[in-house]
C-alpha cells in the first residue's frame, strides 16, 4: 500500500517539480556570470594576441608579408574584385557621392548650397570615412580571418602547430594583426581621397557648382588636426576588428556550421564596436560643441 502511493504518477510529478524549477533559476542566475566569463576570455585572448605581435612580425616575416598582400589586394581570382582596397574604395566612393547629393539638395533648400564643400571636409573626416572603412574591414578581412582560423581549428591545424612547438597565437593571430596594422594606413588614406574625390566630382561635374567655390569652402573647413584624429580612430577600429574576428575564429567549434556561426557573431560584434568607437572618439575629442565655429 505504501509502495503504491509512493510510485503513483501524481506523487511523482509533485515530488519532481523542484528539480524543474531549480535548473531554470540556476540558468537565469548563470547568464550574467557567463557573460562576464566570456568578456574575461576575450580580454585574456586580446592581451595574448597583442603580446605576440612583435614576435610574429620578427620571426614569421614571410607569413606576415603574405598576409599583407592578401589583406590589401585579395587572393586568387578575387584579387581584382574582392580585395579590401577595392571594396573600401567602392564604399567610400558611394558614400561621398551620396553625401554630395544630399548635402547639395538640402542646403539648396535654404539657399546655402555653396557650403557643400564644408560638408565634405567636415562629415567625411569625422564620421563617414571611419565608419565606412570599419564596415569594409569587418566584411572583408575580418570575416575572412574568422573563416580561415575557424577552418584551421576544426581541421586540427592549430593543434598541429602546437604539437610542432609553434605558438599558434603568434603564428595565426599575431601575423594577421601585424598585417592589418601595416595595411590600414594606406588603405584609410585611399578611402579618404576617394570620398573627397567622389564628393567633388558629384558637386562640381554632375550638379554644376563652381569648382573654385567648392574648393574655397572645402579648404577653409578641412582641419589637419581632424585628419590626424581620423587616422587614430581608423587604427583603433582596425585593431578592435582584428582582435574580435581572430578570437571568434580561433575558438570556433562545431564543424563547418560552427565556423559560419562564428563568422556571423564576429561581424555583428565588430559592427557594434565600430559605431561604439566612433561615438566615444567623437565625445572624447570634439565634446559637446564639436570644436567648430561657423560664422559669416
Amino acid at each position: 500500500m505504501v509502495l503504491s502511493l509512493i510510485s503513483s504518477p501524481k506523487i511523482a510529478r509533485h515530488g519532481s517539480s523542484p528539480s524543474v524549477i531549480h535548473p531554470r533559476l540556476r540558468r537565469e542566475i548563470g547568464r550574467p556570470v557567463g557573460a562576464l566569463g566570456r568578456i574575461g576570455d576575450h580580454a585574456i585572448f586580446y592581451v595574448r594576441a597583442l603580446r605576440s605581435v612583435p614576435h610574429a612580425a620578427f620571426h614569421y616575416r614571410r607569413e606576415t608579408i603574405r598576409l599583407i598582400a592578401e589583406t590589401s589586394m585579395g587572393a586568387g581570382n578575387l584579387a581584382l574584385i574582392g580585395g579590401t582596397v577595392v571594396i573600401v574604395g567602392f564604399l567610400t566612393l558611394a558614400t561621398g557621392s551620396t553625401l554630395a547629393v544630399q548635402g547639395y539638395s538640402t542646403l539648396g533648400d535654404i539657399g546655402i548650397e555653396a557650403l557643400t564643400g564644408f560638408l565634405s571636409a567636415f562629415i567625411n573626416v569625422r564620421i563617414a570615412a571611419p565608419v565606412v572603412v570599419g564596415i569594409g574591414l569587418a566584411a572583408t578581412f575580418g570575416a575572412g580571418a574568422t573563416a580561415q582560423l575557424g577552418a584551421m581549428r576544426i581541421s586540427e591545424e592549430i593543434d598541429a602547430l602546437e604539437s610542432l612547438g609553434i605558438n599558434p597565437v603568434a603564428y595565426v593571430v599575431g601575423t594577421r594583426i601585424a598585417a592589418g596594422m601595416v595595411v590600414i594606413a594606406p588603405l584609410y588614406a585611399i578611402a579618404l581621397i576617394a570620398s573627397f574625390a567622389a564628393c567633388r566630382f558629384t558637386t562640381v561635374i554632375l550638379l554644376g557648382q563652381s569648382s573654385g567655390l567648392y574648393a574655397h569652402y572645402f579648404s577653409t573647413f578641412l582641419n589637419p588636426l581632424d585628419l590626424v584624429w581620423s587616422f587614430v580612430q581608423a587604427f583603433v577600429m582596425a585593431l578592435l576588428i582584428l582582435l574580435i574576428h581572430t578570437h571568434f575564429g580561433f575558438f570556433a567549434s562545431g564543424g563547418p556550421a560552427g565556423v559560419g556561426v562564428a563568422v556571423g557573431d564576429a561581424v555583428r560584434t565588430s559592427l557594434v564596436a565600430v559605431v561604439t568607437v566612433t561615438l566615444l572618439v567623437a565625445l572624447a575629442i570634439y565634446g559637446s560643441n564639436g570644436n567648430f565655429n561657423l560664422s559669416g
Side-chain angles (χ1 to χ4, degrees):
M1 182 66 177
V2 175
L3 293 176
S4 63
L5 288 175
I6 293 176
S7 61
S8 64
K10 184 180 294 185
I11 299 299
R13 286 196 299 269
H14 179 72
S16 62
S17 58
S19 63
V20 177
I21 296 174
H22 292 167
R24 292 179 181 176
L25 183 60
R26 286 197 298 268
R27 283 197 300 268
E28 294 298 327
I29 295 175
R31 285 182 180 178
V33 177
L36 291 176
R38 288 191 295 271
I39 293 174
D41 293 338
H42 277 262
I44 293 172
F45 177 81
Y46 295 165
V47 172
R48 290 178 58 196
L50 292 175
R51 289 177 57 185
S52 69
V53 171
H55 176 81
F58 182 77
H59 290 88
Y60 307 125
R61 290 188 294 270
R62 181 176 298 180
E63 178 69 9
T64 303
I65 294 173
R66 184 189 69 82
L67 289 170
I68 290 173
E70 181 180 326
T71 301
S72 57
M73 300 307 298
N77 295 329
L78 294 177
L80 295 178
I81 60 174
T84 306
V85 173
V86 177
I87 300 300
V88 170
F90 275 117
L91 288 175
T92 50
L93 284 172
T95 303
S97 300
T98 304
L99 176 63
V101 171
Q102 295 295 330
Y104 188 87
S105 61
T106 303
L107 295 176
D109 293 337
I110 55 177
I112 56 171
E113 63 272 8
L115 292 176
T116 307
F118 148 72
L119 289 181
S120 175
F122 189 77
I123 297 179
N124 273 328
V125 174
R126 295 192 179 191
I127 302 174
V131 172
V132 168
V133 169
I135 294 173
L137 282 176
T140 53
F141 181 47
T146 305
Q148 290 173 354
L149 294 183
M152 293 176 67
R153 170 61 71 182
I154 65 174
S155 62
E156 300 181 352
E157 293 182 32
I158 294 178
D159 297 332
L161 291 175
E162 292 180 344
S163 66
L164 293 174
I166 299 174
N167 184 2
V169 175
Y171 188 79
V172 302
V173 177
T175 52
R176 282 170 170 78
I177 295 176
M181 291 297 98
V182 171
V183 168
I184 187 60
L187 176 66
Y188 190 66
I190 292 173
L192 275 177
I193 293 172
S195 62
F196 291 156
C199 197
R200 178 183 177 87
F201 177 83
T202 304
T203 305
V204 175
I205 304 299
L206 300 182
L207 300 178
Q209 188 178 92
S210 169
S211 60
L213 183 63
Y214 179 90
H216 169 71
Y217 283 104
F218 177 80
S219 60
T220 299
F221 291 103
L222 183 61
N223 189 354
L225 187 59
D226 287 349
L227 286 173
V228 174
W229 286 119
S230 184
F231 270 88
V232 171
Q233 181 178 348
F235 272 98
V236 173
M237 286 194 304
L239 181 60
L240 279 178
I241 289 170
L242 291 170
L243 290 173
I244 290 170
H245 281 269
T246 52
H247 175 273
F248 279 98
F250 193 83
F251 294 104
S253 61
V259 175
V261 172
V263 172
D265 292 340
V267 170
R268 287 193 296 269
T269 306
S270 60
L271 291 180
V272 173
V274 165
V275 296
T276 303
V277 168
T278 303
L279 173 62
L280 295 179
V281 169
L283 291 174
I285 297 174
Y286 306 116
S288 59
N289 59 2
N291 192 21
F292 165 76
N293 293 312
L294 179 62
S295 60

